[in-house]
Amino acid sequence: MSHINLSSHAKRDLTARATTIAGRTYLSKGPSTYELGDIELAIWSRLDGRTSLEVIAGGIAQDFDAPETVIQTDLVEFVGDLEAQGLIRLVGAK
Amino acid sequence: MVVDLSDAAVTNAVSRLAARVPGALYGFLGGSIVEGFANTTSDIDLLVVTAEPLAGLSIALGENERLISLEDNTVLVSWIGSTRVDVEIRQAKSVESRIVILQSEGPDAFLRAEFSDGWLEFFNDLRIGIPATGLEVLEQRRSDIPWDALSGLLLRRFEFAANSAIDDVAGAVEAADFGAAELSSRIALEAGIDAWLARNGQTNPKSKWRFSKLGRVTNGDRIIDRYWELLAETSENARDSALRRAEDRVYFAQDLLFETNSQARVEH
């Protein structure tokens, strides 16, 4: 079972950068890159280490008019991917 | 009261000052008054480009006047009534060599020493300046300059500064070095905002006008609010909160750089 859940708090790695190339958005850190969709970019920008994933999911669901339960599942999976790529760090709740 | 540059007495006095510079080819008024950022203590900036070499430049000085030789320009400090006038004199050869670099290298010249802050301010003044003498030559020089390349150079300069500072912050946060994190994160934040401003057409590189520049750009208000918030000191545990604040500044700088980068890509 994943150690990431809706009560987790994650913050962006300071050296990871989002850039747009030919209309597509990528996260890069060193030589590795990760492509982001619109919702993923919105999630990325909110990973400040202080806001729980549950709160972020609520905001995203509202902004993108999407079912919150679906967003919650996708968000936890996405954050897990980012952690595996070394693009975020999990922190204790602030 | 801010000096009225359209006042005939001021205009005449400025023309007389410009005429005192040996070999003057063209001159223009620049600085905060022309830019619209002036207050009652602002002085008048007159920029004069001369065909003569600056070394050995001889100007007969009146009462309370001074001539100051700097690395690549000479400044005659004079007065019109109680208002100080800085006559910044630069050599035409130096101006023209920089125009050639801009024409050939474009924004890629962003790290070249020829484009110091002083020269970037000069070119901004040349762009917005009010002609004082040598109108025909002034207009010719203006038309020689690839202004988009100059804006691009400024943007690249600020992006580079922001990204370098962000790397410094990351290292400082990792090492829990609150002092370095605090100082580097301020640089990252300010350079990020300056890059965003350059992308939005603000080519005055002077940092002291950052808030004024934000105030005149569409959507600048939202940045002013966040910038002010991120500059503010916290009252308690200032050292403990420094690392957290440094991260917040970097996140905001990165958001601005992303926005700047996205705008640039879309339009090009």
Side-chain angles (χ1 to χ4, degrees), chain B residues 144-255:
Chain B
D144 290 340
I145 297 172
W147 295 107
D148 285 350
L150 191 66
S151 299
L153 181 149
L154 204 59
L155 173 59
R156 296 272 297 275
R157 171 82 58 92
F158 290 133
E159 281 180 332
F160 181 80
N163 283 319
S164 301
I166 286 170
D167 287 343
D168 291 341
V169 177
V173 168
E174 189 71 33
D177 182 346
F178 65 88
E182 172 73 21
L183 298 175
S184 299
S185 64
R186 281 175 183 262
I187 296 169
L189 172 65
E190 289 163 358
I193 292 172
D194 288 341
W196 187 89
L197 281 167
R199 185 67 197 87
N200 283 279
Q202 297 298 305
T203 52
N204 183 330
K206 274 200 170 178
S207 56
K208 69 176 179 178
W209 303 122
R210 192 173 291 121
F211 278 102
S212 304
K213 288 184 280 183
L214 283 168
R216 60 167 55 165
V217 173
T218 309
N219 289 326
D221 286 349
R222 72 179 164 88
I223 293 174
I224 287 177
D225 292 342
R226 186 69 179 134
Y227 179 28
W228 192 251
E229 212 173 271
L230 290 169
L231 276 183
E233 301 292 336
T234 53
S235 56
E236 292 177 23
N237 299 321
R239 287 189 176 194
D240 294 342
S241 60
L243 299 181
R244 178 73 254 182
R245 193 165 58 240
E247 288 181 331
D248 286 344
R249 287 177 183 152
V250 165
Y251 290 151
F252 189 55
Q254 285 176 327
D255 290 345

Side-chain angles (χ1 to χ4, degrees), chain B:
Chain B
M1 209 173 95
V2 178
V3 178
D4 179 4
L5 294 180
S6 63
D7 183 314
V10 174
T11 310
N12 291 337
V14 163
S15 297
R16 285 197 298 274
L17 272 172
R20 287 171 57 197
V21 177
L25 295 172
Y26 56 99
F28 48 95
L29 291 161
S32 57
I33 299 179
V34 173
E35 190 90 57
F37 299 150
N39 56 42
T40 53
T41 65
S42 298
D43 54 19
I44 296 174
D45 292 310
L46 171 63
L47 298 98
V48 178
V49 175
T50 174
E52 302 286 326
L54 297 184
L57 195 73
S58 174
I59 299 175
L61 297 178
E63 196 180 352
N64 297 325
E65 286 187 332
R66 282 181 299 150
L67 196 62
I68 304 167
S69 289
L70 301 171
E71 194 178 344
D72 51 10
N73 64 324
T74 296
V75 179
L76 166 65
V77 179
S78 186
W79 301 84
I80 297 176
S82 60
T83 303
R84 175 175 159 153
V85 186
D86 287 345
V87 185
E88 181 184 304
I89 306 161
R90 291 184 185 261
Q91 194 179 0
K93 201 168 77 175
S94 303
V95 176
E96 281 148 22
S97 67
R98 282 163 177 80
I99 295 174
V100 169
I101 292 172
L102 269 179
Q103 289 168 335
S104 59
E105 298 182 25
D108 288 343
F110 74 104
L111 286 180
R112 287 190 68 140
E114 285 88 347
F115 294 98
S116 62
D117 289 349
W119 276 103
L120 290 172
E121 284 168 28
F122 169 84
F123 280 110
N124 179 62
D125 283 329
L126 180 56
R127 185 175 69 87
I128 63 165
I130 298 172
T133 186
L135 179 61
E136 205 172 313
V137 187
L138 172 61
E139 289 304 325
Q140 182 58 51
R141 284 298 159 276
R142 279 177 168 164
S143 67
D144 290 340
I145 297 172
W147 295 107
D148 285 350
L150 191 66
S151 299
L153 181 149
L154 204 59
L155 173 59
R156 296 272 297 275
R157 171 82 58 92
F158 290 133
E159 281 180 332
F160 181 80
N163 283 319
S164 301
I166 286 170
D167 287 343
D168 291 341
V169 177
V173 168
E174 189 71 33
D177 182 346
F178 65 88
E182 172 73 21
L183 298 175
S184 299
S185 64
R186 281 175 183 262
I187 296 169
L189 172 65
E190 289 163 358
I193 292 172
D194 288 341
W196 187 89
L197 281 167
R199 185 67 197 87
N200 283 279
Q202 297 298 305
T203 52
N204 183 330
K206 274 200 170 178
S207 56
K208 69 176 179 178
W209 303 122
R210 192 173 291 121
F211 278 102
S212 304
K213 288 184 280 183
L214 283 168
R216 60 167 55 165
V217 173
T218 309
N219 289 326
D221 286 349
R222 72 179 164 88
I223 293 174
I224 287 177
D225 292 342
R226 186 69 179 134
Y227 179 28
W228 192 251
E229 212 173 271
L230 290 169
L231 276 183
E233 301 292 336
T234 53
S235 56
E236 292 177 23
N237 299 321
R239 287 189 176 194
D240 294 342
S241 60
L243 299 181
R244 178 73 254 182
R245 193 165 58 240
E247 288 181 331
D248 286 344
R249 287 177 183 152
V250 165
Y251 290 151
F252 189 55
Q254 285 176 327
D255 290 345
L256 289 175
L257 290 173
F258 174 71
E259 197 177 316
T260 300
N261 171 273
S262 303
Q263 287 174 326
R265 298 285 179 185
V266 168
E267 288 178 22
H268 292 146

